[in-house]
Amino acid sequence: MTMLKRFGIIFFCSLLSPSQEVLSGLSCAVSPGAMQNVLSDAIIQNGLLQQHLQGLVLPNIVGDGGLLNSPTSITGLHLVKSQLPKLSVVLLPGIGVQLTIAAKLELSGNCLVGLLSDLIDILVDVNITANVKCTNFESGTVQVVIEDCLCILGAIKIKILSGLLSLSVNEIVLNQLRATLPGLLCPVVDIVINLVNIQLMGTLNAVIPVGTAGTIHYQLASLPFTSGLFLGLDLDGAVKQVGGSIIPHDSSASVLPPLLDKLLVLGLRQSFLNAVLSLLIQIPPQTFTCTPEVFSGASRLQEAITTLVPAGCSTCSGTSPLSIKLTLSGNPLILLEENKATVELSVMIQVFVQHLDGPILNLLLLKADLGLNAQVSIAGSRLVLGLSLGSTSLSLESSDVGISSISDLKPHCSSLLVETFLPLINGALGIGIPLPNVLGIPLIKVDVQI
């Protein structure tokens, strides 16, 4: 397999049988670099931090001036803008995410020294570090809390319009900012992080239509977990038919595969896929006359069945052609092995004759158990399955005319299903299984593994 570039995404359809129980849900692991990009976009690039810093209210700075200096008063101090904000992320194993925001805050206000009034500009370097922990998991959502928020002020540059700045004013401003600014910035970061959490939860808690058949409601299955290599998000999906009934499937805890230096790892549990296949593959019974125009091997099938009819069957004679009714039996089942996916389903094949002014005569009722090889791919943020016939097992359910041996019919029935029924199944699967837009990371350069 061609190696992907580092910025590519690996999509693990690491779909294991229930006995293995390694991946039990749609799970994703996000690398520190990808998480940093996501949070940087949400907090800084989209202007969310700047927006909430604009509302920063700084207290007035007042100094009595002492015996030798004039009284000082700085009022109306406000944020003009934050310069060069930068965000970095460290994953804390078992705890959460550590965010560090570095920026230069440009402040402006009015300065009154004695009787002289002037404008004052302050440029201060700030470095805010906050540990973000997810908690209170309920119904697919989590709350975030900030623990150990630390705000450190670096270099502070002060200037007034006149250019005259006494040492006492400089000292008063430095002392007041170091005493008050950290206590103002950490609550702003707390508000911003909670807003971002709501925004990102929306990508994980989403209802996505599956064509006209129903919907999948993706949501978190458990609290996010972290290692030093990735943030793990365990997702599950409630598969709902049109009308509201939910197709049940197993929803156990899951374990993620390694991230392998990719941006995102997704996994779909086998039981979830079975529920979605039951939603997609709903083929109504198909009835047609066994003629060459409908089925190229019709004449051969008709000849083969005719030879099986016992001699002396008076009701079997006539010129009426055979009719065939194909009915899907039960729900499809996907089976997953190393580098292999197989869909198993059963089709009832009813072969009958409809005489004019007479009852229906059932020559055969057969059950075909199909093993369909599945080709898995990603197209347009959807998981697409393409099926081809791998194996056919044919069994006799009943015969109104006493047919008992059907061994010669297997190749003809297999051809019948390939030509008439398999295209219907692939057509139903063609819309694909929609995948959630996890954290807004697009599914491009995807490597699918089973």
Side-chain angles (χ1 to χ4, degrees):
M1 183 176 292
T2 303
M3 294 299 293
L4 296 178
K5 295 182 179 179
R6 184 177 178 84
F7 57 82
I9 302 171
I10 182 169
F11 184 100
F12 271 96
C13 286
S14 297
L15 310 171
L16 306 177
S17 65
S19 62
Q20 290 171 291
E21 294 183 345
V22 175
L23 282 183
S24 63
L26 191 160
S27 307
C28 63
V30 184
S31 69
M35 196 66 208
Q36 181 166 305
N37 292 338
V38 167
L39 293 175
S40 181
D41 286 344
I43 295 174
I44 295 176
Q45 303 303 325
N46 293 340
L48 188 62
L49 179 64
Q50 176 72 26
Q51 173 188 340
H52 285 272
L53 286 176
Q54 289 296 149
L56 201 63
V57 178
L58 285 86
N60 295 335
I61 298 176
V62 179
D64 58 14
L67 297 176
L68 302 178
N69 297 300
S70 301
T72 301
S73 175
I74 299 175
T75 59
L77 199 58
H78 63 280
L79 179 78
V80 177
K81 66 177 179 179
S82 58
Q83 300 179 6
L84 306 174
K86 185 178 180 181
L87 181 142
S88 59
V89 171
V90 175
L91 300 180
L92 305 176
I95 299 175
V97 177
Q98 183 181 81
L99 302 181
T100 300
I101 299 174
K104 293 180 180 291
L105 302 185
E106 184 179 335
L107 310 174
S108 184
N110 300 310
C111 181
L112 180 64
V113 181
L115 299 177
L116 299 176
S117 179
D118 210 341
L119 294 178
I120 185 169
D121 293 322
I122 304 171
L123 190 63
V124 53
D125 290 345
V126 297
N127 194 286
I128 308 167
T129 301
N131 294 341
V132 182
K133 182 179 181 180
C134 294
T135 184
N136 296 336
F137 172 79
E138 184 178 357
S139 300
T141 62
V142 298
Q143 293 180 335
V144 294
V145 295
I146 290 184
E147 299 180 340
D148 304 323
C149 180
L150 178 64
C151 179
I152 299 176
L153 303 188
I156 300 177
K157 297 179 181 180
I158 306 170
K159 67 176 181 178
I160 57 177
L161 191 61
S162 64
L164 300 176
L165 184 65
S166 67
L167 291 176
S168 62
V169 173
N170 190 75
E171 185 177 355
I172 289 171
V173 172
L174 293 178
N175 290 338
Q176 287 292 325
L177 287 181
R178 289 192 173 112
T180 60
L181 200 52
L184 297 173
L185 292 177
C186 279
V188 171
V189 172
D190 184 70
I191 293 172
V192 169
I193 292 301
N194 276 280
L195 290 174
V196 169
N197 179 57
I198 295 172
Q199 174 186 332
L200 296 183
M201 282 295 109
T203 69
L204 306 176
N205 194 340
V207 177
I208 307 177
V210 186
T212 59
T215 59
I216 298 176
H217 182 186
Y218 287 108
Q219 64 179 17
L220 277 175
S222 61
L223 274 173
F225 59 93
T226 55
S227 73
L229 299 176
F230 60 81
L231 169 70
L233 304 171
D234 183 17
L235 303 183
D236 196 10
V239 182
K240 183 179 293 187
Q241 295 175 315
V242 170
S245 60
I246 294 178
I247 301 175
H249 68 275
D250 179 38
S251 297
S252 306
S254 52
V255 178
L256 288 171
L259 190 59
L260 302 179
D261 293 329
K262 306 300 182 217
L263 288 185
L264 187 64
V265 175
L266 296 175
L268 290 171
R269 75 163 60 87
Q270 179 172 271
S271 59
F272 168 80
L273 282 180
N274 282 327
V276 179
L277 290 183
S278 296
L279 179 68
L280 289 176
I281 303 178
Q282 298 187 34
I283 310 296
Q286 306 291 311
T287 302
F288 50 87
T289 303
C290 190
T291 62
E293 292 77 16
V294 176
F295 168 47
S296 62
S299 58
R300 292 192 299 273
L301 177 63
Q302 184 160 335
E303 290 173 1
I305 293 177
T306 302
T307 61
L308 300 178
V309 176
C313 177
S314 59
T315 58
C316 302
S317 61
T319 59
S320 299
L322 297 182
S323 293
I324 297 178
K325 182 178 182 180
L326 302 178
T327 305
L328 189 64
S329 176
N331 293 321
L333 178 67
I334 190 166
L335 299 177
L336 302 153
E337 306 169 68
E338 185 77 17
N339 300 319
K340 182 181 179 181
T342 305
V343 174
E344 294 186 349
L345 55 83
S346 298
V347 180
M348 303 303 296
I349 304 175
Q350 180 187 7
V351 183
F352 62 94
V353 177
Q354 176 73 68
H355 293 301
L356 292 175
D357 302 323
I360 292 176
L361 177 65
N362 288 313
L363 300 183
L364 287 170
L365 180 61
L366 306 171
K367 182 180 180 183
D369 295 316
L370 307 181
L372 305 174
N373 298 324
Q375 183 69 34
V376 185
S377 61
I378 296 291
S381 297
R382 291 173 177 265
L383 181 69
V384 180
L385 300 179
L387 306 182
S388 61
L389 183 62
S391 63
T392 304
S393 176
L394 200 64
S395 59
L396 175 63
E397 296 292 304
S398 64
S399 172
D400 291 349
V401 297
I403 296 176
S404 59
S405 175
I406 59 170
S407 57
D408 293 338
L409 300 181
K410 181 177 177 179
H412 304 303
C413 289
S414 295
S415 298
L416 167 70
L417 293 171
V418 167
E419 292 190 26
T420 62
F421 207 67
L422 191 55
L424 297 176
I425 297 174
N426 279 322
L429 293 176
I431 64 171
I433 301 171
L435 301 170
N437 183 25
V438 177
L439 304 182
I441 299 176
L443 292 177
I444 56 176
K445 297 186 181 295
V446 181
D447 176 24
V448 179
Q449 295 186 22
I450 300 175

